[in-house]
Amino acid sequence: MGGKGSKRRDVDEVVKDNFDKLASIPGVTAVDSGEQIKGGKETNKKVIKVYVEEKKSKNDLQDSEKIPQKIEGHKVDVEEGKGHILGVGKEFLVEWREGKPVGANLPKPYHGPEQVSEEHIESSRPLVSLRGGDSIGVIEYPEVRGSLTYFVKKGNTTGILLSAHCAREVGSRIMSPAGKEGGENKDFIATTKTISVTEEVDCAFASLRGKITKFTLKDASTIKGIAVAQVGDGVKYYSNASDRVVTATVVKNDWEGEVDGMQWSKQIQLDKPALPGDAGALVVKSDTNEAIGMLFANADGKALANNFRVVLNALGVELAIDEDDK
């Protein structure tokens, strides 16, 4: 696109617009953006990442299996793997699982005065305007983007659910929308209080900076309860990455396997992949609007979701019920 001197588009935008085409290539298990790897080391250069079941030589590839080397000037890296965590931050999950101080082996984020102290953050985002499915980011980690799952209560505290690999660390400041989508420090909405990372969940709880009493999804519906996913269930979730409701079908409710070098078990698998920015999106039954899962990864070319009831139990929270529905 564009002629000489035209500005190259952001790699994440290119991934989003080419996601379906790349994900449909035979053998592809996941598509995202990430650091280019050379000689086993990261280069600090962001590229398009395509994950495949098996890397083959050019001579062994069928025409239908060929992956472009560049798209809109961005290099395409092909890696072998069954799948990939949606968006960025897998290194944080590894640290949580291993019990290490989170962020200990990573570059420290910039903590300017307005990024640390709540009293210095003047928020312009009214909490009553928040919806499940909204874009979220982290003030301390500008590259993070994900979805606000839904609203929960922990005792008398009202908060939100989000993916652990998006929250990054206890004390991180959540904003809506994400920085990549125009969010600024003034859009601070919540502070991460609890994170749980196991073979079954990748989740976090963040307390809102104030109280709200109405809880809805971006399609204006409310969650009517919690259900157990059954194979064949018709489901939906709001994709903030594509700004639309996505419908899908549950193909497994007990998926287990390796994603990004980590073992996962008892996951819900849908019949289609999810976009990288949809980490944390709430999966609900289409006919009853009951919550069943929380998106976190793609594997084998299909989206994976944590069991929603297991998420609530892991964080010690309960579903927030709209005052009008009590």
Side-chain angles (χ1 to χ4, degrees), residues 8 44 47 63 117 163 186 193 196 203 209 214 225 254 264 300 306 310 312:
R8 188 168 67 168
N44 291 322
V47 297
D63 286 345
S117 180
S163 291
K186 62 185 177 60
K193 298 295 185 181
S196 182
C203 57
R209 58 177 171 80
K214 294 191 71 66
D254 59 353
W264 300 88
D300 303 322
N306 299 157
V310 176
L312 297 184

PDB file of all heavy atoms in Angstrom, residues 8 44 47 63 117 163 186 193 196 203 209 214 225 254 264 300 306 310 312:
ATOM      1  N   ARG A   8       4.471   3.499   6.841  1.00  0.00           N
ATOM      2  CA  ARG A   8       4.118   2.092   6.979  1.00  0.00           C
ATOM      3  C   ARG A   8       3.162   1.902   8.138  1.00  0.00           C
ATOM      4  O   ARG A   8       3.333   2.474   9.213  1.00  0.00           O
ATOM      5  CB  ARG A   8       5.390   1.263   7.199  1.00  0.00           C
ATOM      6  CG  ARG A   8       5.136  -0.234   7.163  1.00  0.00           C
ATOM      7  CD  ARG A   8       6.421  -1.023   7.091  1.00  0.00           C
ATOM      8  NE  ARG A   8       7.206  -0.909   8.313  1.00  0.00           N
ATOM      9  CZ  ARG A   8       8.256  -1.677   8.585  1.00  0.00           C
ATOM     10  NH1 ARG A   8       8.655  -2.567   7.699  1.00  0.00           N
ATOM     11  NH2 ARG A   8       8.935  -1.525   9.708  1.00  0.00           N
ATOM     12  N   ASN A  44      14.461  -6.862  19.332  1.00  0.00           N
ATOM     13  CA  ASN A  44      13.717  -5.624  19.595  1.00  0.00           C
ATOM     14  C   ASN A  44      13.043  -5.080  18.338  1.00  0.00           C
ATOM     15  O   ASN A  44      12.633  -3.928  18.302  1.00  0.00           O
ATOM     16  CB  ASN A  44      14.624  -4.535  20.200  1.00  0.00           C
ATOM     17  CG  ASN A  44      15.057  -4.884  21.609  1.00  0.00           C
ATOM     18  OD1 ASN A  44      14.280  -5.438  22.377  1.00  0.00           O
ATOM     19  ND2 ASN A  44      16.298  -4.580  21.948  1.00  0.00           N
ATOM     20  N   VAL A  47       7.732  -8.042  14.459  1.00  0.00           N
ATOM     21  CA  VAL A  47       7.401  -8.682  13.183  1.00  0.00           C
ATOM     22  C   VAL A  47       6.066  -9.415  13.312  1.00  0.00           C
ATOM     23  O   VAL A  47       5.496  -9.524  14.399  1.00  0.00           O
ATOM     24  CB  VAL A  47       8.498  -9.680  12.766  1.00  0.00           C
ATOM     25  CG1 VAL A  47       9.819  -8.966  12.533  1.00  0.00           C
ATOM     26  CG2 VAL A  47       8.653 -10.791  13.816  1.00  0.00           C
ATOM     27  N   ASP A  63       1.674 -25.569  -2.423  1.00  0.00           N
ATOM     28  CA  ASP A  63       1.372 -24.156  -2.714  1.00  0.00           C
ATOM     29  C   ASP A  63       0.437 -23.567  -1.661  1.00  0.00           C
ATOM     30  O   ASP A  63       0.590 -22.410  -1.256  1.00  0.00           O
ATOM     31  CB  ASP A  63       0.760 -24.021  -4.107  1.00  0.00           C
ATOM     32  CG  ASP A  63       1.786 -24.199  -5.223  1.00  0.00           C
ATOM     33  OD1 ASP A  63       2.996 -24.142  -4.913  1.00  0.00           O
ATOM     34  OD2 ASP A  63       1.378 -24.393  -6.374  1.00  0.00           O
ATOM     35  N   SER A 117       1.254   7.167  40.944  1.00  0.00           N
ATOM     36  CA  SER A 117       0.425   7.670  42.024  1.00  0.00           C
ATOM     37  C   SER A 117      -1.006   7.958  41.565  1.00  0.00           C
ATOM     38  O   SER A 117      -1.236   8.735  40.659  1.00  0.00           O
ATOM     39  CB  SER A 117       1.049   8.955  42.587  1.00  0.00           C
ATOM     40  OG  SER A 117       0.271   9.458  43.637  1.00  0.00           O
ATOM     41  N   SER A 163      -7.115 -11.004  31.652  1.00  0.00           N
ATOM     42  CA  SER A 163      -6.090 -12.042  31.573  1.00  0.00           C
ATOM     43  C   SER A 163      -4.877 -11.658  32.416  1.00  0.00           C
ATOM     44  O   SER A 163      -4.487 -10.497  32.458  1.00  0.00           O
ATOM     45  CB  SER A 163      -5.647 -12.239  30.125  1.00  0.00           C
ATOM     46  OG  SER A 163      -6.677 -12.812  29.357  1.00  0.00           O
ATOM     47  N   LYS A 186      -4.932   9.309  31.782  1.00  0.00           N
ATOM     48  CA  LYS A 186      -6.198   9.810  32.328  1.00  0.00           C
ATOM     49  C   LYS A 186      -7.346   8.797  32.199  1.00  0.00           C
ATOM     50  O   LYS A 186      -8.409   8.977  32.792  1.00  0.00           O
ATOM     51  CB  LYS A 186      -6.595  11.112  31.622  1.00  0.00           C
ATOM     52  CG  LYS A 186      -6.831  10.974  30.133  1.00  0.00           C
ATOM     53  CD  LYS A 186      -7.104  12.335  29.497  1.00  0.00           C
ATOM     54  CE  LYS A 186      -7.275  12.221  27.985  1.00  0.00           C
ATOM     55  NZ  LYS A 186      -8.380  11.354  27.583  1.00  0.00           N
ATOM     56  N   LYS A 193      -5.152  -6.440  41.724  1.00  0.00           N
ATOM     57  CA  LYS A 193      -5.013  -6.870  43.114  1.00  0.00           C
ATOM     58  C   LYS A 193      -4.627  -8.343  43.258  1.00  0.00           C
ATOM     59  O   LYS A 193      -3.908  -8.713  44.203  1.00  0.00           O
ATOM     60  CB  LYS A 193      -6.341  -6.634  43.866  1.00  0.00           C
ATOM     61  CG  LYS A 193      -6.770  -5.180  43.947  1.00  0.00           C
ATOM     62  CD  LYS A 193      -5.781  -4.362  44.769  1.00  0.00           C
ATOM     63  CE  LYS A 193      -6.272  -2.929  44.961  1.00  0.00           C
ATOM     64  NZ  LYS A 193      -5.312  -2.116  45.736  1.00  0.00           N
ATOM     65  N   SER A 196      -3.784 -15.103  39.121  1.00  0.00           N
ATOM     66  CA  SER A 196      -3.693 -16.551  39.246  1.00  0.00           C
ATOM     67  C   SER A 196      -3.264 -17.144  37.904  1.00  0.00           C
ATOM     68  O   SER A 196      -3.887 -16.880  36.870  1.00  0.00           O
ATOM     69  CB  SER A 196      -5.041 -17.146  39.668  1.00  0.00           C
ATOM     70  OG  SER A 196      -4.933 -18.551  39.822  1.00  0.00           O
ATOM     71  N   CYS A 203      -5.577 -15.596  34.665  1.00  0.00           N
ATOM     72  CA  CYS A 203      -6.597 -14.606  35.008  1.00  0.00           C
ATOM     73  C   CYS A 203      -6.138 -13.654  36.105  1.00  0.00           C
ATOM     74  O   CYS A 203      -5.204 -13.948  36.858  1.00  0.00           O
ATOM     75  CB  CYS A 203      -7.894 -15.293  35.431  1.00  0.00           C
ATOM     76  SG  CYS A 203      -7.697 -16.428  36.833  1.00  0.00           S
ATOM     77  N   ARG A 209     -11.667   1.953  40.491  1.00  0.00           N
ATOM     78  CA  ARG A 209     -11.344   3.116  41.313  1.00  0.00           C
ATOM     79  C   ARG A 209     -12.590   3.736  41.951  1.00  0.00           C
ATOM     80  O   ARG A 209     -12.496   4.670  42.741  1.00  0.00           O
ATOM     81  CB  ARG A 209     -10.637   4.184  40.471  1.00  0.00           C
ATOM     82  CG  ARG A 209     -11.429   4.649  39.278  1.00  0.00           C
ATOM     83  CD  ARG A 209     -10.713   5.763  38.527  1.00  0.00           C
ATOM     84  NE  ARG A 209     -11.365   6.050  37.280  1.00  0.00           N
ATOM     85  CZ  ARG A 209     -12.462   6.796  37.145  1.00  0.00           C
ATOM     86  NH1 ARG A 209     -13.030   7.331  38.206  1.00  0.00           N
ATOM     87  NH2 ARG A 209     -12.984   6.999  35.951  1.00  0.00           N
ATOM     88  N   LYS A 214     -24.393  -1.133  37.626  1.00  0.00           N
ATOM     89  CA  LYS A 214     -24.960  -1.747  36.424  1.00  0.00           C
ATOM     90  C   LYS A 214     -23.821  -2.397  35.636  1.00  0.00           C
ATOM     91  O   LYS A 214     -22.768  -1.794  35.441  1.00  0.00           O
ATOM     92  CB  LYS A 214     -25.694  -0.718  35.560  1.00  0.00           C
ATOM     93  CG  LYS A 214     -26.942  -0.147  36.218  1.00  0.00           C
ATOM     94  CD  LYS A 214     -27.784   0.653  35.230  1.00  0.00           C
ATOM     95  CE  LYS A 214     -28.461  -0.213  34.205  1.00  0.00           C
ATOM     96  NZ  LYS A 214     -29.491  -1.104  34.806  1.00  0.00           N
ATOM     97  N   GLY A 225     -25.905 -15.712  34.433  1.00  0.00           N
ATOM     98  CA  GLY A 225     -25.436 -16.763  35.317  1.00  0.00           C
ATOM     99  C   GLY A 225     -24.210 -17.429  34.733  1.00  0.00           C
ATOM    100  O   GLY A 225     -23.573 -16.909  33.824  1.00  0.00           O
ATOM    101  N   ASP A 254     -12.447 -30.175  27.253  1.00  0.00           N
ATOM    102  CA  ASP A 254     -11.394 -30.759  28.075  1.00  0.00           C
ATOM    103  C   ASP A 254     -10.056 -30.771  27.332  1.00  0.00           C
ATOM    104  O   ASP A 254      -9.253 -31.687  27.486  1.00  0.00           O
ATOM    105  CB  ASP A 254     -11.768 -32.178  28.492  1.00  0.00           C
ATOM    106  CG  ASP A 254     -11.997 -33.098  27.280  1.00  0.00           C
ATOM    107  OD1 ASP A 254     -12.002 -32.588  26.129  1.00  0.00           O
ATOM    108  OD2 ASP A 254     -12.164 -34.315  27.484  1.00  0.00           O
ATOM    109  N   TRP A 264      -1.150 -26.831  29.469  1.00  0.00           N
ATOM    110  CA  TRP A 264      -2.477 -26.349  29.863  1.00  0.00           C
ATOM    111  C   TRP A 264      -3.436 -27.519  29.869  1.00  0.00           C
ATOM    112  O   TRP A 264      -3.278 -28.467  29.096  1.00  0.00           O
ATOM    113  CB  TRP A 264      -2.976 -25.269  28.899  1.00  0.00           C
ATOM    114  CG  TRP A 264      -2.069 -24.079  28.839  1.00  0.00           C
ATOM    115  CD1 TRP A 264      -0.988 -23.905  28.014  1.00  0.00           C
ATOM    116  CD2 TRP A 264      -2.146 -22.905  29.645  1.00  0.00           C
ATOM    117  NE1 TRP A 264      -0.390 -22.697  28.258  1.00  0.00           N
ATOM    118  CE2 TRP A 264      -1.079 -22.052  29.250  1.00  0.00           C
ATOM    119  CE3 TRP A 264      -3.003 -22.475  30.651  1.00  0.00           C
ATOM    120  CZ2 TRP A 264      -0.854 -20.813  29.833  1.00  0.00           C
ATOM    121  CZ3 TRP A 264      -2.787 -21.233  31.236  1.00  0.00           C
ATOM    122  CH2 TRP A 264      -1.724 -20.419  30.826  1.00  0.00           C
ATOM    123  N   ASP A 300      -3.837 -25.178  17.749  1.00  0.00           N
ATOM    124  CA  ASP A 300      -4.360 -26.020  16.670  1.00  0.00           C
ATOM    125  C   ASP A 300      -5.290 -25.233  15.752  1.00  0.00           C
ATOM    126  O   ASP A 300      -6.236 -25.781  15.187  1.00  0.00           O
ATOM    127  CB  ASP A 300      -5.113 -27.238  17.240  1.00  0.00           C
ATOM    128  CG  ASP A 300      -4.242 -28.071  18.173  1.00  0.00           C
ATOM    129  OD1 ASP A 300      -3.043 -28.210  17.882  1.00  0.00           O
ATOM    130  OD2 ASP A 300      -4.768 -28.563  19.193  1.00  0.00           O
ATOM    131  N   ASN A 306     -10.373 -20.375  29.271  1.00  0.00           N
ATOM    132  CA  ASN A 306     -10.415 -20.946  30.623  1.00  0.00           C
ATOM    133  C   ASN A 306     -11.873 -21.168  31.019  1.00  0.00           C
ATOM    134  O   ASN A 306     -12.754 -20.387  30.642  1.00  0.00           O
ATOM    135  CB  ASN A 306      -9.814 -19.988  31.651  1.00  0.00           C
ATOM    136  CG  ASN A 306      -8.354 -19.635  31.413  1.00  0.00           C
ATOM    137  OD1 ASN A 306      -7.896 -18.606  31.879  1.00  0.00           O
ATOM    138  ND2 ASN A 306      -7.612 -20.463  30.695  1.00  0.00           N
ATOM    139  N   VAL A 310     -13.956 -21.903  37.131  1.00  0.00           N
ATOM    140  CA  VAL A 310     -12.626 -22.127  37.686  1.00  0.00           C
ATOM    141  C   VAL A 310     -11.890 -20.797  37.863  1.00  0.00           C
ATOM    142  O   VAL A 310     -11.179 -20.586  38.848  1.00  0.00           O
ATOM    143  CB  VAL A 310     -11.807 -23.080  36.781  1.00  0.00           C
ATOM    144  CG1 VAL A 310     -10.383 -23.241  37.299  1.00  0.00           C
ATOM    145  CG2 VAL A 310     -12.487 -24.447  36.698  1.00  0.00           C
ATOM    146  N   LEU A 312     -13.298 -17.836  38.512  1.00  0.00           N
ATOM    147  CA  LEU A 312     -13.859 -17.168  39.695  1.00  0.00           C
ATOM    148  C   LEU A 312     -13.301 -17.774  40.982  1.00  0.00           C
ATOM    149  O   LEU A 312     -12.924 -17.058  41.912  1.00  0.00           O
ATOM    150  CB  LEU A 312     -15.384 -17.271  39.681  1.00  0.00           C
ATOM    151  CG  LEU A 312     -16.133 -16.585  38.532  1.00  0.00           C
ATOM    152  CD1 LEU A 312     -17.640 -16.719  38.739  1.00  0.00           C
ATOM    153  CD2 LEU A 312     -15.759 -15.114  38.411  1.00  0.00           C
TER     154      LEU A 312
END
